[in-house]
């Protein structure tokens, strides 16, 4: 019983995700980009920026300018994801580095 | 390449002396040396000033052949000329860097109690220039590389003797550098320690990963990849970029603190800059 339910759940999730993605608007892309930029700035302030975030943002802006909203949406999501991960890395490493010190 | 008793005694002496200043850095230094002694039992600690070429005989032979006509010689010659040039107010670099100049690299980095920050040789040079009415040089530019190459060359065989003075700000700077060294960065999620301790001696593609010990003794470096002589902080920037992180500015507080931490680990080793690296 568990397998069919799990499969149904996965299909539903993918369908919903796909629908949400397909329905992306330029405004949503701009919102994602604004959130990505804010998170990236936070990471940079913590000296933990990732080099991939800004290129994703630039590519998303270019795709939006070219009228390719779907591609822009995907790229903006990647920018946001990497920016948020870089902030999370900074936060977790604030303590985690101590465990790597020789003799610790 | 092999461990020499008197050298080890000398290094141990530095350990004992610095232990009286501050226990924590001394513990770091002792632990680091013990780590590399165990990891490379047939390689003398002082041999690590040659980086990866202490760990790979084949690469060492190629490197020694390059040293017959070292590509950093041009930078040394240019640096010698720059050193003799008067600054805007008529003073000289010797007036600013001290009577021993150009043999001063062994004095850097140090903790400057006036500014409460780590003073590196590059920063000191620019401070001299600005104080004399000259423009500061680009930290990644050819003039800074040339002058520091000349000073490094003249300072060869001097021993690294970085002190952590009895000042909580100095210890904080050292600890900040240590934190930077052990902190994961970039999308690849690497700390300096992952390459230079965890995986030291292994290869990344065709390159052998060098030990942290001796990392600061041989700068500036003519790097074949750069096709020019460049500073330690450029290498920091490159390391950060290689793990897909956004590099910091050269001579930023964090990079200077990292240099402070790394240089302290090389206490007792001799300066051997400038050098050539792939």
């Amino acid at each position: 019983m568990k397998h069919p339910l799990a499969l149904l759940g996965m299909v539903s999730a993918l369908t919903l995700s796909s629908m949400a993605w397909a329905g992306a608007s330029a405004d949503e892309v701009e919102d994602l980009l604004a959130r990505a930029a804010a998170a990236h700035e936070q990471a940079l302030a913590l000296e933990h920026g990732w080099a991939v975030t800004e290129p994703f943002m630039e590519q998303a802006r270019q795709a939006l300018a070219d009228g390719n909203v779907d591609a822009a949406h995907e790229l903006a999501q990647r920018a946001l994801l990497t920016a948020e991960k870089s902030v999370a890395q900074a936060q977790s490493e604030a303590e985690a580095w101590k465990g790597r010190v020789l003799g610790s | 390449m092999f461990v020499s008793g008197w050298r080890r005694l000398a290094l141990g002496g530095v350990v004992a002396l610095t232990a009286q200043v501050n226990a924590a850095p001394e513990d770091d230094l002792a632990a680091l040396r013990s780590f590399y002694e165990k990891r490379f039992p047939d390689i003398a600690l002082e041999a690590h000033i040659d980086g990866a070429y202490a760990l790979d005989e084949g690469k060492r032979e190629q490197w020694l052949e390059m040293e017959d006509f070292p590509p950093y010689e041009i930078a040394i010659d240019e640096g010698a000329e720059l050193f003799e040039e008067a600054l805007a107010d008529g003073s000289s670099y010797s007036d600013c860097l001290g009577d021993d100049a150009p043999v001063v690299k062994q004095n850097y980095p140090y903790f400057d109690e006036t500014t409460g920050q780590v003073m590196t040789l590059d920063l000191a040079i620019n401070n001299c220039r600005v104080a004399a009415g000259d423009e500061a040089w680009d930290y990644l530019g050819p003039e800074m590389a040339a002058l520091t190459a000349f000073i490094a060359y003249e300072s060869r065989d001097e021993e690294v003797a970085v002190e952590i003075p009895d000042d909580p700000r100095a210890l904080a700077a050292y600890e900040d550098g240590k934190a930077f060294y052990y902190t994961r960065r970039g999308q690849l999620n690497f700390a300096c320690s992952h390459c230079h301790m965890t995986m030291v001696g292994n290869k990344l593609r065709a390159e052998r990963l060098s030990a942290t010990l001796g990392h600061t003794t041989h700068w500036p470096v003519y790097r074949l990849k750069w096709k020019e002589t460049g500073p330690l902080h450029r290498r920091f920037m490159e390391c950060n970029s290689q793990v897909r992180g956004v590099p910091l500015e050269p001579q930023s507080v964090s990079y200077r603190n990292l240099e402070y931490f790394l240089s302290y680990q090389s206490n007792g080793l001799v300066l051997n800059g400038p050098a050539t690296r792939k």
Side-chain angles (χ1 to χ4, degrees):
Chain A
M1 287 295 286
K2 283 184 180 176
H3 289 298
L5 281 174
L7 185 63
L8 182 64
M10 282 174 62
V11 170
S12 301
L14 286 170
T15 305
L16 285 169
S17 168
S18 174
M19 285 171 66
W21 180 71
S25 67
D27 286 346
E28 284 173 323
V29 174
E30 294 287 4
D31 178 60
L32 284 170
L33 283 172
R35 288 163 58 198
H40 186 53
E41 281 303 313
Q42 187 184 353
L44 288 174
L46 296 166
E47 299 183 338
H48 267 268
W50 287 6
V52 292
T53 303
E54 203 145 316
F56 279 143
M57 289 195 290
E58 287 171 11
Q59 290 165 24
R61 288 189 196 102
Q62 187 60 52
L64 201 57
D66 294 343
N68 193 345
V69 179
D70 288 348
H73 188 266
E74 185 176 336
L75 288 160
Q77 279 185 318
R78 289 184 188 181
L80 178 59
L81 177 69
T82 55
E84 288 177 342
K85 290 287 184 188
S86 62
V87 172
Q89 181 189 55
Q91 290 167 341
S92 66
E93 284 299 303
E95 288 296 321
W97 70 270
K98 295 173 184 172
R100 285 177 215 117
V101 176
L102 275 180
S104 63
Chain B
M1 290 289 284
F2 296 99
V3 182
S4 63
W6 71 268
R7 276 281 187 199
R8 201 170 269 184
L9 279 173
L11 292 170
V14 170
V15 172
L17 283 172
T18 50
Q20 296 168 18
V21 179
N22 192 296
E26 189 277 329
D27 289 345
D28 293 336
L29 188 148
L32 195 78
R33 279 162 198 212
S34 175
F35 173 83
Y36 289 121
E37 280 182 326
K38 288 174 185 164
R39 179 70 180 80
F40 304 110
D42 295 330
I43 296 174
L45 289 175
E46 64 267 25
H48 288 293
I49 62 173
D50 292 335
Y53 306 124
L55 309 177
D56 190 312
E57 194 55 42
K59 289 182 186 298
R60 182 177 183 81
E61 285 176 18
Q62 293 173 17
W63 171 68
L64 287 173
E65 286 191 13
M66 273 195 292
E67 286 293 304
D68 287 342
F69 298 98
Y72 51 74
E73 265 187 344
I74 296 168
I76 294 173
D77 292 343
E78 290 173 352
E81 289 178 16
L82 287 169
F83 185 78
E84 295 303 326
E85 285 180 7
L87 295 167
D89 64 355
S91 66
S92 69
Y93 287 106
S94 288
D95 294 333
C96 185
L97 296 173
D99 292 340
D100 293 333
V103 187
V104 293
K105 187 164 171 60
Q106 70 279 7
N107 301 332
Y108 296 90
Y110 69 88
F111 184 77
D112 181 3
E113 292 181 357
T114 307
T115 61
Q117 294 191 0
V118 171
M119 179 64 70
T120 61
L121 176 60
D122 305 48
L123 183 57
I125 287 170
N126 262 351
N127 284 352
C128 290
R129 292 184 58 77
V130 171
D134 281 295
E135 283 189 13
W137 281 332
D138 178 356
Y139 286 114
L140 304 180
E143 294 89 356
M144 184 63 81
L147 184 55
T148 54
F150 171 66
I151 291 173
Y153 182 73
E154 293 294 318
S155 306
R156 274 186 178 182
D157 296 327
E158 295 291 326
E159 283 192 4
V160 179
V162 173
E163 293 179 2
I164 314 294
D166 187 16
D167 182 328
R169 297 173 303 169
L171 186 58
Y174 172 90
E175 288 293 332
D176 187 61
K178 183 164 83 175
F180 196 100
Y181 177 82
Y182 284 107
T183 294
R184 290 181 185 271
R185 284 170 204 284
Q187 189 185 24
L188 299 189
N189 209 26
F190 270 52
C192 307
S193 61
H194 286 117
C195 282
H196 300 292
M197 287 178 60
T198 311
M199 296 189 290
V200 64
N202 294 339
K203 279 188 170 178
L204 272 186
R205 294 184 178 169
E207 299 308 320
R208 188 77 63 187
L209 289 166
S210 59
T212 297
L213 194 61
H215 261 176
T216 60
T217 61
H218 50 272
W219 292 88
V221 155
Y222 184 97
R223 208 156 142 75
L224 301 187
K225 186 177 177 181
W226 298 341
K227 297 183 177 63
E228 61 185 358
T229 303
L232 175 64
H233 289 209
R234 182 172 174 184
R235 189 67 185 93
F236 290 164
M237 295 169 76
E238 192 175 38
C239 285
N240 285 165
S241 296
Q242 284 171 323
V243 298
R244 296 185 193 164
V246 176
L248 309 184
E249 291 296 315
Q251 299 300 319
S252 59
V253 169
S254 290
Y255 277 172
R256 279 185 283 132
N257 290 346
L258 177 60
E259 182 177 341
Y260 195 42
F261 168 76
L262 291 175
S263 300
Y264 182 86
Q265 308 311 312
S266 290
N267 270 352
L269 301 179
V270 295
L271 294 172
N272 59 333
T276 309
R277 293 289 185 271
K278 286 174 76 180

